[in-house]
């Protein structure tokens, strides 16, 4: 889909300003155009490829047409973050980095990227983007960039096997559903997901009121809420394969041996093909122990400004233009990306997109993948605990106590 072009250069000056602000989705707290020097070259290092890159290039081309003295150079990198760190520490590299939010804390603490509070306020971010997306670009009480897209897991189901009204609304219902479906369909499963994966199972912990790690390094695994999440996982052992990673779960769903799967947008196209376009969406259920919705991790693809930037006000203006509602709607239609922009999330044409609407709705209830550097110290302890619970090597209480201790030790080592 082509981006709607803004013919600002044909309008009187007063109308240019008004139209530009509307097009950019600016508001008080967003970049102020009167303070921006619209000239120079902006270099963006990114991992976009194929059709993703083509649509994004069109948006940057539209900005260039609005501001002919601004040149935007897109540079694809295979390892964006590490190459950016190496180059910037050597005095060269990009003005803007485009990558996922779990790298933000490390880049911020190493001063590779700079806070943008002078150009993009927290109130602007919180009002413009969905909650998890806003969380993803905020760290240590500063705004560091803008979110361009989000990813989250949700329930996808085979409409030829079950109907929407059969899907569980609570985690207690989910267990009953798994029991009943297996009893009625021997050799098949009601709902599948990778039970030993820390990312896929975060929703049960955060929905129960537990957490992996906070920005200050506090770990929340060995708590009543965390143990409740571990027991929920443990209760599914009779109704799922003894070994079920992402590949097994995906294969079961594609082969029609599972009525539903918990997975992300990266597998939607394969599922759609294998079910003859019979994939439906449902929200993850409410966690019965807390009466709160499951809160899956939401990966937040973001843009940040580096310390090499010569014109951060211009960079901020470009980034808010790039992530305005109009452009995010266009990217959703062209690439199936899940918008971070609230207005784009709520757009009827986006909600109607089979490959986007269900994930976008789930992302509004998720929690941002933690952008603190401490999160890197949680993946293995959580995965080890989930494996110990699933294999029966440890009780949920013992497994999560060990995970808590291991994570706290890892964080202490990181701080030493």
């Amino acid at each position: 889909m082509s981006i709607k072009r803004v013919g600002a250069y044909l309008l009187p000056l007063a109308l240019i300003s008004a139209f530009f602000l509307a097009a950019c989705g600016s508001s008080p707290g967003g970049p102020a155009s009167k303070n921006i020097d619209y000239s120079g070259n902006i270099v963006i290092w990114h991992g976009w490829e194929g059709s993703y890159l083509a649509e994004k290039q069109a948006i940057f081309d539209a900005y260039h047409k609005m501001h002919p003295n601004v040149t935007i150079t897109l540079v694809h990198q295979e390892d964006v973050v590490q190459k950016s760190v190496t180059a910037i520490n050597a005095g060269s590299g990009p003005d803007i980095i485009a990558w996922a939010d779990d790298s933000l804390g490390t880049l911020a603490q190493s001063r590779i990227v700079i806070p943008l509070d002078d150009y993009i306020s927290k109130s602007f971010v919180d009002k413009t983007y969905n909650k998890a997306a806003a969380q993803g670009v905020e760290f240590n009480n500063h705004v560091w960039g803008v979110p361009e897209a989000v990813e989250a897991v949700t329930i996808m189901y085979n409409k030829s096997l079950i109907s929407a009204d059969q899907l569980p609304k609570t985690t207690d219902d989910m267990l009953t559903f798994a029991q009943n479906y297996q009893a009625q369909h021997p050799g098949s499963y009601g709902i599948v997901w990778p039970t030993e994966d820390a990312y896929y199972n975060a929703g049960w912990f955060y929905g129960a009121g537990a957490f992996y790690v906070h920005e200050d390094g506090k770990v929340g695994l060995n708590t009543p809420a965390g143990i409740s999440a571990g027991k929920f996982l443990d209760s599914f052992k009779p109704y799922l394969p003894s070994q079920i990673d992402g590949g097994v779960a995906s294969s079961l769903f594609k082969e029609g041996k599972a009525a539903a799967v918990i997975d992300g947008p990266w597998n939607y196209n394969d599922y759609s093909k294998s079910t003859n376009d019979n994939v439906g969406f449902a929200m993850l259920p409410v966690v019965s122990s807390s009466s709160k919705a499951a809160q899956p991790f939401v990966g937040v693809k973001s843009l940040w400004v580096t310390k090499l930037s010569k014109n951060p006000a211009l960079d901020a203006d470009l980034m808010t233009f790039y992530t305005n509602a109009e452009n995010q709607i266009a990217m959703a239609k062209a690439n199936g990306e899940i918008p971070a922009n609230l207005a784009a999330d709520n757009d009827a044409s986006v909600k109607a997109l089979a490959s986007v609407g269900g994930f976008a709705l789930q992302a509004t209830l998720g929690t941002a993948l933690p952008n603190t550097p401490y999160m890197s110290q949680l993946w293995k302890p959580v995965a080890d605990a989930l494996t110990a619970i699933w294999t029966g090597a440890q009780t949920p209480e013992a497994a999560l106590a060990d995970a808590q201790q291991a994570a706290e030790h890892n964080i202490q080592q990181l701080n030493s």
Side-chain angles (χ1 to χ4, degrees):
M1 175 179 175
S2 62
I3 295 293
K4 181 179 178 182
R5 304 301 183 183
V6 180
Y9 52 89
L10 299 176
L11 300 173
L13 182 59
L15 291 179
I16 291 176
S17 297
F19 194 83
F20 174 74
L21 288 173
C24 289
S26 296
S27 68
S33 59
K34 65 181 180 180
N35 297 323
I36 298 173
D37 172 14
Y38 286 100
S39 64
N41 183 35
I42 301 174
V43 178
I44 302 175
W45 283 13
H46 63 87
W48 307 318
E49 295 181 288
S51 63
Y52 278 72
L53 177 58
E55 189 62 30
K56 294 170 191 297
Q57 182 69 65
I59 295 172
F60 292 121
D61 288 346
Y63 188 86
H64 171 68
K65 287 185 178 180
M66 294 168 60
H67 306 291
N69 292 326
V70 178
T71 302
I72 302 161
T73 303
L74 304 183
V75 180
H76 180 270
Q77 298 285 6
E78 290 297 330
D79 190 354
V80 176
V81 171
Q82 189 53 53
K83 286 186 178 179
S84 294
V85 170
T86 301
I88 289 168
N89 282 333
S92 62
D95 301 285
I96 295 173
I97 298 171
W99 199 246
D101 69 309
D102 56 339
S103 296
L104 174 57
T106 299
L107 293 173
Q109 288 193 342
S110 59
R111 302 189 181 185
I112 296 296
V113 297
I114 62 173
L116 296 178
D117 308 87
D118 290 343
Y119 314 104
I120 305 174
S121 72
K122 185 178 185 301
S123 63
F124 174 83
V125 170
D126 291 344
K127 291 175 183 177
T128 304
Y129 308 102
N130 66 52
K131 182 180 178 181
Q135 290 174 339
V137 296
E138 296 170 1
F139 177 72
N140 277 352
N141 297 314
H142 292 289
V143 171
W144 297 85
V146 296
E148 66 159 328
V150 297
E151 289 182 335
V153 299
T154 194
I155 294 176
M156 287 175 274
Y157 67 96
N158 188 330
K159 291 188 286 187
S160 66
L161 299 178
I162 55 172
S163 58
D165 59 0
Q166 294 177 267
L167 290 163
K169 298 296 188 292
T170 70
T171 51
D172 284 350
D173 293 342
M174 186 170 154
L175 182 61
T176 301
F177 170 74
Q179 294 170 333
N180 291 342
Y181 191 89
Q182 190 177 75
Q184 295 164 8
H185 304 85
S188 293
Y189 304 92
I191 184 166
V192 295
W193 75 97
T195 55
E196 300 174 37
D197 188 290
Y199 175 84
Y200 278 82
N201 289 281
W204 315 130
F205 283 85
Y206 281 78
F211 56 91
Y212 288 179
V213 66
H214 280 165
E215 195 173 274
D216 61 3
K218 182 179 180 181
V219 179
L221 297 173
N222 189 27
T223 63
I227 292 168
S228 176
K231 289 181 176 179
F232 166 73
L233 180 69
D234 186 58
S235 69
F236 271 82
K237 285 193 291 190
Y239 312 109
L240 288 173
S242 58
Q243 292 184 327
I244 180 165
D245 58 14
V248 171
S250 180
S251 294
L252 287 171
F253 186 70
K254 287 189 290 187
E255 293 167 7
K257 294 180 181 178
V261 64
I262 298 173
D263 212 341
W266 44 87
N267 278 330
Y268 170 79
N269 287 336
D270 284 346
Y271 295 155
S272 182
K273 291 175 184 176
S274 65
T275 62
N276 295 316
D277 295 325
N278 265 325
V279 175
F281 286 91
M283 300 288 280
L284 292 177
V286 168
V287 176
S288 297
S289 64
S290 66
S291 297
K292 295 180 180 179
Q295 298 178 33
F297 274 158
V298 179
V300 184
K301 298 177 182 179
S302 311
L303 286 84
W304 314 300
V305 176
T306 77
K307 65 181 181 181
L308 298 183
S309 170
K310 299 180 178 63
N311 194 345
L314 177 63
D315 296 336
D317 188 74
L318 171 64
M319 295 193 312
T320 56
F321 171 81
Y322 172 66
T323 57
N324 71 25
E326 179 186 14
N327 289 331
Q328 292 227 324
I329 290 169
M331 285 193 288
K333 291 180 178 179
N335 299 326
E337 288 186 293
I338 306 165
N341 186 292
L342 271 173
D345 276 338
N346 292 322
D347 182 81
S349 65
V350 171
K351 289 182 177 181
L353 295 171
S355 61
V356 176
F359 296 114
L361 187 60
Q362 185 69 72
T364 64
L365 294 181
T367 187
L369 181 63
N371 57 24
T372 169
Y374 298 130
M375 185 58 208
S376 63
Q377 308 305 308
L378 267 291
W379 292 117
K380 187 175 187 303
V382 174
D384 287 348
L386 296 177
T387 298
I389 293 169
W390 191 251
T391 60
Q394 288 182 294
T395 64
E397 291 89 344
L400 290 166
D402 284 354
Q404 178 91 14
Q405 184 177 15
E408 289 175 345
H409 174 75
N410 290 350
I411 289 171
Q412 184 178 20
Q413 293 293 107
L414 189 66
N415 286 332
S416 62

